[in-house]
């Protein structure tokens, strides 16, 4: 638990995050990450990904689960952040992006596929770096 908490506090480096539960049995966090999907001379294509990161500790082992993936376009997210009230901005679920491939972007071919690839890369980075933090003495 101490090593995972240290990783989450000092190494994860998300856009934003909050502990919902943090005790000797489990840790639950709400995380917001920024994924830069594609950038060129004309545009920067990025998405904010929000998810729950859950870790359960049992006899020196840690089981991590990522749930409730949602995505919001960079411009919509930043507009929402700047607003003092809740705006009705379009959000996409993990299923919309990764399975149904409902998201399209005029300037980006295969936008859902690129978002999926960026998501998998980010999750793999989290797993790899968390594993490294468990191995270090």
């Amino acid at each position: 638990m101490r090593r995972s908490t240290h990783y989450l506090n000092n190494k994860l480096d998300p856009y934003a995050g909050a502990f919902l539960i943090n005790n000797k049995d489990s840790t639950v966090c709400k995380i917001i990450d920024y994924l830069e999907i594609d950038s060129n001379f004309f545009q920067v294509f990025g998405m904010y990904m929000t998810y729950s990161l859950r870790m359960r500790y049992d006899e020196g082992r840690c089981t991590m689960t990522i749930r409730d993936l949602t995505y919001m376009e960079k411009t919509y997210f930043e507009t929402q952040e700047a607003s003092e009230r809740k705006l009705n901005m379009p959000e996409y679920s993990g299923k919309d992006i990764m399975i149904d491939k409902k998201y399209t972007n005029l300037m980006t071919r295969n936008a859902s596929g690129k978002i999926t690839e960026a998501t998998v890369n980010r999750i793999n980075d989290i797993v790899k770096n968390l594993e490294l933090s468990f191995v270090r003495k």
Side-chain angles (χ1 to χ4, degrees):
M1 183 208 89
R2 284 180 281 142
R3 290 179 188 230
S4 64
T5 302
H6 175 61
Y7 169 74
L8 294 169
N9 279 327
N10 301 301
K11 305 286 184 192
L12 181 62
D13 195 30
Y15 171 78
F19 285 100
L20 305 177
I21 298 170
N22 193 21
N23 59 45
K24 67 178 185 158
D25 297 320
S26 64
T27 299
V28 179
C29 305
K30 184 160 184 140
I31 308 287
I32 301 171
D33 269 327
Y34 175 71
L35 303 174
E36 186 172 302
I37 311 301
D38 195 15
S39 64
N40 57 43
F41 183 72
F42 300 107
Q43 74 161 357
V44 173
F45 173 40
M47 296 287 266
Y48 282 89
M49 174 177 69
T50 303
Y51 55 94
S52 295
L53 181 68
R54 299 168 188 248
M55 293 184 220
R56 194 170 144 241
Y57 313 114
D58 186 30
E59 297 181 12
R61 293 178 36 208
C62 176
T63 304
M64 183 180 80
T65 307
I66 295 177
R67 301 177 124 176
D68 308 321
L69 281 164
T70 59
Y71 299 87
M72 186 180 288
E73 289 180 34
K74 178 183 187 305
T75 53
Y76 291 134
F77 184 87
E78 291 171 356
T79 300
Q80 176 65 58
E81 287 283 293
S83 177
E84 293 181 16
R85 61 185 177 86
K86 177 75 172 142
L87 303 174
N88 188 19
M89 298 295 191
E91 283 186 317
Y92 299 89
S93 70
K95 182 179 182 292
D96 291 338
I97 300 286
M98 298 174 151
I99 296 170
D100 298 336
K101 307 217 182 290
K102 288 184 178 179
Y103 182 81
T104 59
N105 182 301
L106 186 61
M107 301 293 283
T108 306
R109 178 177 284 180
N110 187 23
S112 284
K114 289 182 178 182
I115 296 167
T116 300
E117 183 179 342
T119 300
V120 170
N121 289 340
R122 176 61 174 156
I123 291 169
N124 284 338
D125 282 344
I126 292 169
V127 170
K128 179 180 77 176
N129 291 323
L130 187 58
E131 188 174 53
L132 285 173
S133 73
F134 288 145
V135 172
R136 291 190 181 123
K137 296 270 178 185

